[in-house]
mmCIF file of all heavy atoms in Angstrom:
data_model
loop_
_atom_site.group_PDB
_atom_site.id
_atom_site.type_symbol
_atom_site.label_atom_id
_atom_site.label_comp_id
_atom_site.label_asym_id
_atom_site.label_seq_id
_atom_site.Cartn_x
_atom_site.Cartn_y
_atom_site.Cartn_z
ATOM 1 N N GLY A 1 -26.592 -11.442 -1.316
ATOM 2 C CA GLY A 1 -25.927 -10.150 -1.256
ATOM 3 C C GLY A 1 -25.618 -9.557 -2.597
ATOM 4 O O GLY A 1 -25.230 -8.398 -2.706
ATOM 5 N N ASP A 2 -25.744 -10.339 -3.658
ATOM 6 C CA ASP A 2 -25.518 -9.845 -5.011
ATOM 7 C C ASP A 2 -26.677 -8.936 -5.382
ATOM 8 O O ASP A 2 -27.822 -9.193 -4.995
ATOM 9 C CB ASP A 2 -25.451 -11.027 -5.974
ATOM 10 C CG ASP A 2 -24.511 -10.781 -7.127
ATOM 11 O OD1 ASP A 2 -23.629 -9.911 -6.986
ATOM 12 O OD2 ASP A 2 -24.637 -11.446 -8.171
ATOM 13 N N SER A 3 -26.367 -7.892 -6.134
ATOM 14 C CA SER A 3 -27.422 -6.974 -6.541
ATOM 15 C C SER A 3 -27.006 -6.259 -7.818
ATOM 16 O O SER A 3 -25.898 -6.456 -8.327
ATOM 17 C CB SER A 3 -27.715 -5.959 -5.438
ATOM 18 O OG SER A 3 -26.592 -5.131 -5.229
ATOM 19 N N LEU A 4 -27.910 -5.426 -8.310
ATOM 20 C CA LEU A 4 -27.653 -4.769 -9.588
ATOM 21 C C LEU A 4 -26.432 -3.865 -9.522
ATOM 22 O O LEU A 4 -25.792 -3.630 -10.563
ATOM 23 C CB LEU A 4 -28.892 -3.973 -10.010
ATOM 24 C CG LEU A 4 -28.866 -3.364 -11.401
ATOM 25 C CD1 LEU A 4 -28.653 -4.438 -12.465
ATOM 26 C CD2 LEU A 4 -30.143 -2.597 -11.670
ATOM 27 N N ASP A 5 -26.047 -3.377 -8.356
ATOM 28 C CA ASP A 5 -24.870 -2.521 -8.302
ATOM 29 C C ASP A 5 -23.568 -3.298 -8.384
ATOM 30 O O ASP A 5 -22.493 -2.748 -8.179
ATOM 31 C CB ASP A 5 -24.893 -1.557 -7.112
ATOM 32 C CG ASP A 5 -24.949 -2.262 -5.782
ATOM 33 O OD1 ASP A 5 -24.826 -3.502 -5.750
ATOM 34 O OD2 ASP A 5 -25.105 -1.570 -4.765
ATOM 35 N N ASP A 6 -23.660 -4.578 -8.698
ATOM 36 C CA ASP A 6 -22.486 -5.381 -9.045
ATOM 37 C C ASP A 6 -22.353 -5.591 -10.547
ATOM 38 O O ASP A 6 -21.413 -6.264 -11.001
ATOM 39 C CB ASP A 6 -22.570 -6.768 -8.387
ATOM 40 C CG ASP A 6 -22.507 -6.692 -6.870
ATOM 41 O OD1 ASP A 6 -21.550 -6.091 -6.353
ATOM 42 O OD2 ASP A 6 -23.430 -7.241 -6.221
ATOM 43 N N TYR A 7 -23.302 -5.025 -11.319
ATOM 44 C CA TYR A 7 -23.397 -5.345 -12.732
ATOM 45 C C TYR A 7 -23.298 -4.114 -13.635
ATOM 46 O O TYR A 7 -23.911 -3.078 -13.366
ATOM 47 C CB TYR A 7 -24.742 -6.040 -13.035
ATOM 48 C CG TYR A 7 -24.826 -7.440 -12.478
ATOM 49 C CD1 TYR A 7 -25.074 -7.663 -11.132
ATOM 50 C CD2 TYR A 7 -24.659 -8.546 -13.307
ATOM 51 C CE1 TYR A 7 -25.133 -8.954 -10.621
ATOM 52 C CE2 TYR A 7 -24.731 -9.835 -12.819
ATOM 53 C CZ TYR A 7 -24.967 -10.034 -11.468
ATOM 54 O OH TYR A 7 -25.035 -11.310 -10.973
ATOM 55 N N VAL A 8 -22.573 -4.268 -14.721
ATOM 56 C CA VAL A 8 -22.642 -3.313 -15.827
ATOM 57 C C VAL A 8 -23.821 -3.719 -16.700
ATOM 58 O O VAL A 8 -24.086 -4.910 -16.897
ATOM 59 C CB VAL A 8 -21.330 -3.288 -16.640
ATOM 60 C CG1 VAL A 8 -20.976 -4.655 -17.206
ATOM 61 C CG2 VAL A 8 -21.403 -2.251 -17.748
ATOM 62 N N VAL A 9 -24.545 -2.724 -17.202
ATOM 63 C CA VAL A 9 -25.709 -2.989 -18.041
ATOM 64 C C VAL A 9 -25.598 -2.174 -19.329
ATOM 65 O O VAL A 9 -25.176 -1.019 -19.311
ATOM 66 C CB VAL A 9 -27.016 -2.652 -17.315
ATOM 67 C CG1 VAL A 9 -28.224 -2.880 -18.234
ATOM 68 C CG2 VAL A 9 -27.153 -3.499 -16.051
ATOM 69 N N GLY A 10 -25.970 -2.794 -20.415
ATOM 70 C CA GLY A 10 -25.959 -2.107 -21.697
ATOM 71 C C GLY A 10 -27.284 -2.241 -22.416
ATOM 72 O O GLY A 10 -28.044 -3.185 -22.178
ATOM 73 N N TRP A 11 -27.551 -1.277 -23.273
ATOM 74 C CA TRP A 11 -28.675 -1.345 -24.193
ATOM 75 C C TRP A 11 -28.114 -1.481 -25.609
ATOM 76 O O TRP A 11 -27.195 -0.745 -25.994
ATOM 77 C CB TRP A 11 -29.549 -0.095 -24.111
ATOM 78 C CG TRP A 11 -30.453 -0.046 -22.928
ATOM 79 C CD1 TRP A 11 -30.233 0.600 -21.753
ATOM 80 C CD2 TRP A 11 -31.737 -0.672 -22.804
ATOM 81 N NE1 TRP A 11 -31.294 0.427 -20.899
ATOM 82 C CE2 TRP A 11 -32.242 -0.349 -21.520
ATOM 83 C CE3 TRP A 11 -32.530 -1.462 -23.647
ATOM 84 C CZ2 TRP A 11 -33.487 -0.800 -21.061
ATOM 85 C CZ3 TRP A 11 -33.758 -1.903 -23.199
ATOM 86 C CH2 TRP A 11 -34.228 -1.575 -21.924
ATOM 87 N N PHE A 12 -28.699 -2.387 -26.360
ATOM 88 C CA PHE A 12 -28.330 -2.613 -27.747
ATOM 89 C C PHE A 12 -29.609 -2.583 -28.580
ATOM 90 O O PHE A 12 -30.711 -2.702 -28.047
ATOM 91 C CB PHE A 12 -27.647 -3.980 -27.904
ATOM 92 C CG PHE A 12 -26.318 -4.069 -27.204
ATOM 93 C CD1 PHE A 12 -26.244 -4.258 -25.833
ATOM 94 C CD2 PHE A 12 -25.141 -3.966 -27.921
ATOM 95 C CE1 PHE A 12 -25.012 -4.332 -25.184
ATOM 96 C CE2 PHE A 12 -23.909 -4.044 -27.292
ATOM 97 C CZ PHE A 12 -23.855 -4.227 -25.926
ATOM 98 N N ARG A 13 -29.449 -2.435 -29.897
ATOM 99 C CA ARG A 13 -30.623 -2.480 -30.758
ATOM 100 C C ARG A 13 -30.274 -3.134 -32.087
ATOM 101 O O ARG A 13 -29.119 -3.106 -32.513
ATOM 102 C CB ARG A 13 -31.186 -1.087 -31.003
ATOM 103 C CG ARG A 13 -30.292 -0.162 -31.806
ATOM 104 C CD ARG A 13 -30.890 1.246 -31.848
ATOM 105 N NE ARG A 13 -30.062 2.155 -32.645
ATOM 106 C CZ ARG A 13 -30.314 3.464 -32.759
ATOM 107 N NH1 ARG A 13 -31.356 4.013 -32.118
ATOM 108 N NH2 ARG A 13 -29.525 4.228 -33.491
ATOM 109 N N GLN A 14 -31.307 -3.710 -32.696
ATOM 110 C CA GLN A 14 -31.123 -4.338 -33.995
ATOM 111 C C GLN A 14 -32.283 -3.957 -34.898
ATOM 112 O O GLN A 14 -33.430 -4.303 -34.612
ATOM 113 C CB GLN A 14 -31.020 -5.857 -33.876
ATOM 114 C CG GLN A 14 -30.646 -6.526 -35.187
ATOM 115 C CD GLN A 14 -30.246 -7.977 -35.011
ATOM 116 O OE1 GLN A 14 -30.588 -8.626 -34.023
ATOM 117 N NE2 GLN A 14 -29.489 -8.500 -35.968
ATOM 118 N N ALA A 15 -31.962 -3.245 -35.950
ATOM 119 C CA ALA A 15 -32.961 -2.854 -36.950
ATOM 120 C C ALA A 15 -33.077 -3.952 -37.998
ATOM 121 O O ALA A 15 -32.140 -4.741 -38.186
ATOM 122 C CB ALA A 15 -32.560 -1.537 -37.591
ATOM 123 N N PRO A 16 -34.199 -4.010 -38.683
ATOM 124 C CA PRO A 16 -34.378 -5.053 -39.714
ATOM 125 C C PRO A 16 -33.258 -5.014 -40.749
ATOM 126 O O PRO A 16 -32.934 -3.959 -41.296
ATOM 127 C CB PRO A 16 -35.722 -4.690 -40.345
ATOM 128 C CG PRO A 16 -36.446 -3.944 -39.290
ATOM 129 C CD PRO A 16 -35.392 -3.182 -38.535
ATOM 130 N N GLY A 17 -32.657 -6.170 -40.991
ATOM 131 C CA GLY A 17 -31.616 -6.269 -41.998
ATOM 132 C C GLY A 17 -30.274 -5.711 -41.596
ATOM 133 O O GLY A 17 -29.356 -5.635 -42.428
ATOM 134 N N LYS A 18 -30.128 -5.322 -40.319
ATOM 135 C CA LYS A 18 -28.860 -4.730 -39.872
ATOM 136 C C LYS A 18 -28.273 -5.514 -38.715
ATOM 137 O O LYS A 18 -28.967 -6.285 -38.050
ATOM 138 C CB LYS A 18 -29.084 -3.268 -39.458
ATOM 139 C CG LYS A 18 -29.471 -2.359 -40.610
ATOM 140 C CD LYS A 18 -29.472 -0.915 -40.167
ATOM 141 C CE LYS A 18 -29.761 0.032 -41.322
ATOM 142 N NZ LYS A 18 -29.739 1.457 -40.910
ATOM 143 N N GLU A 19 -26.987 -5.290 -38.479
ATOM 144 C CA GLU A 19 -26.318 -5.890 -37.342
ATOM 145 C C GLU A 19 -26.786 -5.220 -36.045
ATOM 146 O O GLU A 19 -27.173 -4.052 -36.040
ATOM 147 C CB GLU A 19 -24.794 -5.714 -37.475
ATOM 148 C CG GLU A 19 -24.179 -6.419 -38.668
ATOM 149 C CD GLU A 19 -24.137 -7.920 -38.477
ATOM 150 O OE1 GLU A 19 -23.811 -8.361 -37.354
ATOM 151 O OE2 GLU A 19 -24.447 -8.650 -39.445
ATOM 152 N N ARG A 20 -26.729 -5.994 -34.951
ATOM 153 C CA ARG A 20 -27.037 -5.396 -33.658
ATOM 154 C C ARG A 20 -25.946 -4.396 -33.312
ATOM 155 O O ARG A 20 -24.756 -4.655 -33.558
ATOM 156 C CB ARG A 20 -27.157 -6.485 -32.595
ATOM 157 C CG ARG A 20 -27.686 -5.982 -31.273
ATOM 158 C CD ARG A 20 -28.276 -7.101 -30.440
ATOM 159 N NE ARG A 20 -27.350 -8.180 -30.173
ATOM 160 C CZ ARG A 20 -27.693 -9.301 -29.547
ATOM 161 N NH1 ARG A 20 -28.943 -9.493 -29.156
ATOM 162 N NH2 ARG A 20 -26.792 -10.231 -29.337
ATOM 163 N N GLU A 21 -26.344 -3.271 -32.735
ATOM 164 C CA GLU A 21 -25.386 -2.228 -32.388
ATOM 165 C C GLU A 21 -25.596 -1.767 -30.952
ATOM 166 O O GLU A 21 -26.702 -1.844 -30.405
ATOM 167 C CB GLU A 21 -25.536 -1.028 -33.331
ATOM 168 C CG GLU A 21 -26.861 -0.323 -33.261
ATOM 169 C CD GLU A 21 -26.929 0.918 -34.127
ATOM 170 O OE1 GLU A 21 -25.925 1.291 -34.754
ATOM 171 O OE2 GLU A 21 -28.010 1.533 -34.171
ATOM 172 N N ALA A 22 -24.528 -1.283 -30.360
ATOM 173 C CA ALA A 22 -24.592 -0.763 -29.000
ATOM 174 C C ALA A 22 -25.223 0.608 -29.000
ATOM 175 O O ALA A 22 -24.968 1.428 -29.890
ATOM 176 C CB ALA A 22 -23.201 -0.704 -28.397
ATOM 177 N N VAL A 23 -26.045 0.849 -28.002
ATOM 178 C CA VAL A 23 -26.709 2.142 -27.838
ATOM 179 C C VAL A 23 -26.125 2.895 -26.645
ATOM 180 O O VAL A 23 -25.765 4.070 -26.752
ATOM 181 C CB VAL A 23 -28.226 1.955 -27.648
ATOM 182 C CG1 VAL A 23 -28.907 3.279 -27.350
ATOM 183 C CG2 VAL A 23 -28.841 1.290 -28.872
ATOM 184 N N SER A 24 -26.029 2.211 -25.509
ATOM 185 C CA SER A 24 -25.592 2.888 -24.299
ATOM 186 C C SER A 24 -25.184 1.862 -23.260
ATOM 187 O O SER A 24 -25.581 0.689 -23.339
ATOM 188 C CB SER A 24 -26.718 3.766 -23.750
ATOM 189 O OG SER A 24 -26.305 4.489 -22.611
ATOM 190 N N SER A 25 -24.407 2.306 -22.292
ATOM 191 C CA SER A 25 -24.012 1.432 -21.190
ATOM 192 C C SER A 25 -23.872 2.257 -19.921
ATOM 193 O O SER A 25 -23.545 3.454 -19.971
ATOM 194 C CB SER A 25 -22.690 0.733 -21.519
ATOM 195 O OG SER A 25 -22.225 -0.041 -20.431
ATOM 196 N N ILE A 26 -24.099 1.591 -18.783
ATOM 197 C CA ILE A 26 -23.959 2.241 -17.476
ATOM 198 C C ILE A 26 -23.193 1.301 -16.559
ATOM 199 O O ILE A 26 -23.424 0.085 -16.551
ATOM 200 C CB ILE A 26 -25.350 2.614 -16.905
ATOM 201 C CG1 ILE A 26 -25.224 3.470 -15.645
ATOM 202 C CG2 ILE A 26 -26.204 1.375 -16.664
ATOM 203 C CD1 ILE A 26 -26.537 4.144 -15.251
ATOM 204 N N ASN A 27 -22.269 1.849 -15.782
ATOM 205 C CA ASN A 27 -21.432 0.977 -14.958
ATOM 206 C C ASN A 27 -22.172 0.525 -13.707
ATOM 207 O O ASN A 27 -23.321 0.901 -13.466
ATOM 208 C CB ASN A 27 -20.108 1.653 -14.639
ATOM 209 C CG ASN A 27 -20.215 2.725 -13.565
ATOM 210 O OD1 ASN A 27 -21.285 3.318 -13.372
ATOM 211 N ND2 ASN A 27 -19.127 2.966 -12.872
ATOM 212 N N SER A 28 -21.518 -0.290 -12.915
ATOM 213 C CA SER A 28 -22.188 -0.942 -11.792
ATOM 214 C C SER A 28 -22.760 0.053 -10.790
ATOM 215 O O SER A 28 -23.890 -0.112 -10.314
ATOM 216 C CB SER A 28 -21.222 -1.911 -11.098
ATOM 217 O OG SER A 28 -20.001 -1.266 -10.771
ATOM 218 N N SER A 29 -22.036 1.104 -10.483
ATOM 219 C CA SER A 29 -22.519 2.080 -9.499
ATOM 220 C C SER A 29 -23.531 3.052 -10.091
ATOM 221 O O SER A 29 -24.255 3.722 -9.353
ATOM 222 C CB SER A 29 -21.348 2.874 -8.922
ATOM 223 O OG SER A 29 -20.806 3.740 -9.907
ATOM 224 N N GLY A 30 -23.574 3.138 -11.414
ATOM 225 C CA GLY A 30 -24.439 4.106 -12.066
ATOM 226 C C GLY A 30 -23.796 5.453 -12.280
ATOM 227 O O GLY A 30 -24.431 6.363 -12.816
ATOM 228 N N ALA A 31 -22.542 5.584 -11.912
ATOM 229 C CA ALA A 31 -21.868 6.879 -11.980
ATOM 230 C C ALA A 31 -21.324 7.205 -13.360
ATOM 231 O O ALA A 31 -21.078 8.375 -13.676
ATOM 232 C CB ALA A 31 -20.726 6.910 -10.971
ATOM 233 N N THR A 32 -21.118 6.197 -14.184
ATOM 234 C CA THR A 32 -20.509 6.408 -15.502
ATOM 235 C C THR A 32 -21.404 5.853 -16.595
ATOM 236 O O THR A 32 -21.905 4.725 -16.477
ATOM 237 C CB THR A 32 -19.141 5.718 -15.574
ATOM 238 O OG1 THR A 32 -18.319 6.200 -14.520
ATOM 239 C CG2 THR A 32 -18.455 6.004 -16.908
ATOM 240 N N THR A 33 -21.588 6.647 -17.640
ATOM 241 C CA THR A 33 -22.405 6.231 -18.775
ATOM 242 C C THR A 33 -21.679 6.522 -20.078
ATOM 243 O O THR A 33 -20.765 7.349 -20.120
ATOM 244 C CB THR A 33 -23.759 6.968 -18.788
ATOM 245 O OG1 THR A 33 -23.521 8.385 -18.860
ATOM 246 C CG2 THR A 33 -24.566 6.671 -17.534
ATOM 247 N N VAL A 34 -22.100 5.844 -21.113
ATOM 248 C CA VAL A 34 -21.532 6.079 -22.446
ATOM 249 C C VAL A 34 -22.644 5.875 -23.456
ATOM 250 O O VAL A 34 -23.588 5.082 -23.215
ATOM 251 C CB VAL A 34 -20.339 5.126 -22.703
ATOM 252 C CG1 VAL A 34 -20.767 3.680 -22.705
ATOM 253 C CG2 VAL A 34 -19.621 5.495 -23.985
#
């Protein structure tokens, strides 16, 4: 019964020589993004 609508998902990126940084996130229902 578990599915993706139970999970928050984020995208991150790491450029050469730099720290990994957050790009975007979406909440479990998909209704909220940042």
Side-chain angles (χ1 to χ4, degrees):
D2 213 21
S3 65
L4 187 58
D5 60 8
D6 295 306
Y7 290 78
V8 58
V9 178
W11 283 97
F12 294 78
R13 66 186 181 185
Q14 188 167 21
K18 294 188 176 181
E19 296 287 318
R20 189 159 57 185
E21 63 176 357
V23 175
S24 183
S25 175
I26 188 166
N27 76 334
S28 52
S29 70
T32 304
T33 59
V34 63

